[in-house]
Amino acid sequence: MSRTPSRHRLHIPFASPADDAPQEYARTERTVPTRSADRAAYDQETVHAILDEGYVCHLGFVRDGAPVVLPTLYGRVGDRLYLHGSTGSRPLRAAGEPDPGLAVCVTVTHVDGLVLAKSAFHHSINYRSVVVHGTARQVTDPQEKTAALDALVDHVLPGRSTDSRPGNAKELAATAVIRLDLREVSAKIRTGGPNDEPEDLALPHWAGVLPVAPVYGTPIPSESQAPGIPEPAYLTAR
């Protein structure tokens, strides 16, 4: 299924213009890995592609002195990430504080293959990941909030925001949206086969890569759906 998101066509005047953003993110102490630094990437194209292909991110922050990590949906508009949740959510309320906002770390990871080596020590996975550090802030402008929620829906399935009822006043009032600028960010990628020791190459154990990829099944209509409603093109064009 195509994952060319319609959110790229959204205009959010509050988001950083693409031509104002650097083509490569600046390296910082937090974005340069201490191991396998050669696998790191900082260019926008790589970072955006990894983000756009994912569904779930992990939002990390500190609550009452202890680390908390929550899985959640997200959407990207230009050089910003948007996340949403209940207005009663503690991290979203904290992000609504004007100063200093909420210090967060957001990660997205794809597993592309299981790497099987001759030795247990050298087993690994092929992956693509992005780590974003920054300060999340709550979106309060109604226009930006509406566009951000559309981006979240279209991130899951491009085109869906225009093929569903938009949120009403009650639903919007119960939903909080936070944004995180992509400024301190890096990608990390592993590809290829196992890195076996020369003395292990003759061992009688299979070694190589078992590719991993998502598979979309046949759409299952809702039991309450009225008869005669066809599957939309964005579901059938897979």
Side-chain angles (χ1 to χ4, degrees):
M1 180 177 67
S2 172
R3 292 297 309 278
T4 303
S6 61
R7 66 184 175 279
H8 291 170
R9 299 191 293 271
L10 291 171
H11 174 61
I12 299 183
F14 310 93
S16 302
D19 53 3
D20 286 350
Q23 295 303 303
E24 185 167 288
Y25 297 105
R27 293 162 174 78
T28 71
E29 184 178 356
R30 294 195 294 186
T31 62
V32 176
T34 56
R35 294 186 66 253
S36 302
D38 59 310
R39 295 177 182 170
Y42 301 91
D43 61 287
Q44 272 192 344
E45 183 178 3
T46 297
V47 169
H48 290 180
I50 293 172
L51 292 174
D52 291 350
E53 193 175 332
Y55 290 104
V56 176
C57 72
H58 287 84
L59 170 66
F61 57 96
V62 175
R63 181 175 67 192
D64 299 331
V68 177
V69 178
L70 300 175
T72 185
L73 300 175
Y74 66 94
R76 181 181 69 84
V77 178
D79 235 26
R80 280 181 173 171
L81 287 184
Y82 288 94
L83 297 81
H84 81 301
S86 166
T87 52
S89 167
R90 187 178 298 189
L92 271 68
R93 292 202 312 269
E97 298 294 329
D99 188 22
L102 179 66
V104 300
C105 178
V106 172
T107 64
V108 173
T109 303
H110 304 284
V111 175
D112 295 323
L114 309 181
V115 182
L116 310 180
K118 297 284 186 178
S119 67
F121 180 81
H122 285 297
H123 279 63
S124 187
I125 62 171
N126 285 338
Y127 62 88
R128 291 163 292 141
S129 65
V130 165
V131 177
V132 184
H133 298 274
T135 300
R137 302 189 186 279
Q138 193 169 134
V139 175
T140 57
D141 182 274
Q143 183 182 355
E144 182 182 8
K145 183 176 180 180
T146 298
L149 290 172
D150 285 346
L152 282 158
V153 173
D154 283 333
H155 181 89
V156 175
L157 198 57
R160 186 62 182 175
S161 68
T162 58
D163 192 30
S164 56
R165 176 183 63 79
N168 57 36
K170 181 180 179 180
E171 292 166 341
L172 293 175
T175 305
V177 176
I178 61 175
R179 72 169 171 264
L180 176 62
D181 291 336
L182 296 176
R183 290 292 177 262
E184 195 172 2
V185 55
S186 63
K188 197 174 182 184
I189 302 169
R190 188 201 191 279
T191 60
N195 297 318
D196 277 310
E197 302 294 339
E199 59 269 24
D200 290 337
L201 296 180
L203 292 175
H205 310 301
W206 190 92
V209 176
L210 178 62
V212 175
V215 175
Y216 298 92
T218 301
I220 303 173
S222 169
E223 293 181 357
S224 60
Q225 180 164 279
I229 298 178
E231 289 182 359
Y234 50 76
L235 287 184
T236 57
R238 291 180 298 158

